Amino acid sequence: MDRTALVELVIGIDIEGGKRLLKALDEAGINVPGAFWLYFPEAEEWRLAFVMPIVKKKGSFKAYDLIQTELRKLDSVPDMIFRHVTVMDPSDDLIKAMRKSIKTEPDAIEDIFWNERVVNGVYIDGAYIYRMS
């Protein structure tokens, strides 16, 4: 079993579905400089986070609308994945901290798993990172 499949099995997230949705956003020309699954311990769940400048410019509802539009076009990604999506402003403290520790190419889709890591004083319980540019 490859590492990605093992992580997906152990932590129960749809890694491939997240990748397909990120690719669809890229193909639609939507600016997504960061994308990753992030564990939220207070909610005891993983969420698929998209870092999008449009959140600051036009609000989170516009960002969610763009994501939902692209998700509907995908046959291979279940609609229920949208329930796990969260959008973030690039100026968020967590994003700033993550960028100091990791940087990918702007159009990259990587497989980087972090577990119980402190980055610039910010504790990250778990993250599966596709992109952080």
Side-chain angles (χ1 to χ4, degrees):
M1 179 178 290
D2 71 27
R3 180 175 175 251
T4 301
L6 181 62
V7 171
E8 192 171 58
L9 178 68
V10 170
I11 62 179
I13 61 175
D14 187 354
I15 292 171
E16 292 306 315
K19 284 181 184 181
R20 287 191 295 275
L21 181 52
L22 178 55
K23 285 178 187 175
L25 294 170
D26 288 345
E27 290 169 5
I30 298 167
N31 186 8
V32 183
F36 50 90
W37 284 94
L38 184 66
Y39 186 71
F40 288 79
E42 65 282 353
E44 297 182 348
E45 72 178 11
W46 287 85
R47 295 185 189 152
L48 179 56
F50 291 105
V51 180
M52 303 171 73
I54 199 167
V55 171
K56 187 170 191 161
K57 293 176 187 170
K58 295 190 177 182
S60 59
F61 287 118
K62 180 62 177 171
Y64 283 118
D65 184 50
L66 292 169
I67 293 167
Q68 183 68 34
T69 298
E70 294 311 311
L71 185 59
R72 285 188 185 128
K73 296 176 186 177
L74 298 175
D75 294 330
S76 58
V77 177
D79 284 338
M80 55 84 58
I81 202 170
F82 187 71
R83 180 176 79 79
H84 297 284
V85 169
T86 190
V87 295
M88 301 180 82
D89 184 318
S91 64
D92 183 280
D93 289 339
L94 173 68
I95 303 308
K96 288 180 191 177
M98 288 177 74
R99 278 198 177 120
K100 288 186 179 191
S101 184
I102 189 167
K103 198 97 161 153
T104 67
E105 293 297 319
D107 59 349
I109 298 181
E110 308 270 344
D111 292 298
I112 303 164
F113 181 62
W114 282 358
N115 191 33
E116 298 179 343
R117 184 174 288 218
V118 177
V119 180
N120 287 2
V122 177
Y123 177 74
I124 297 171
D125 200 306
Y128 194 93
I129 303 160
Y130 300 121
R131 174 183 302 155
M132 187 58 59
S133 61

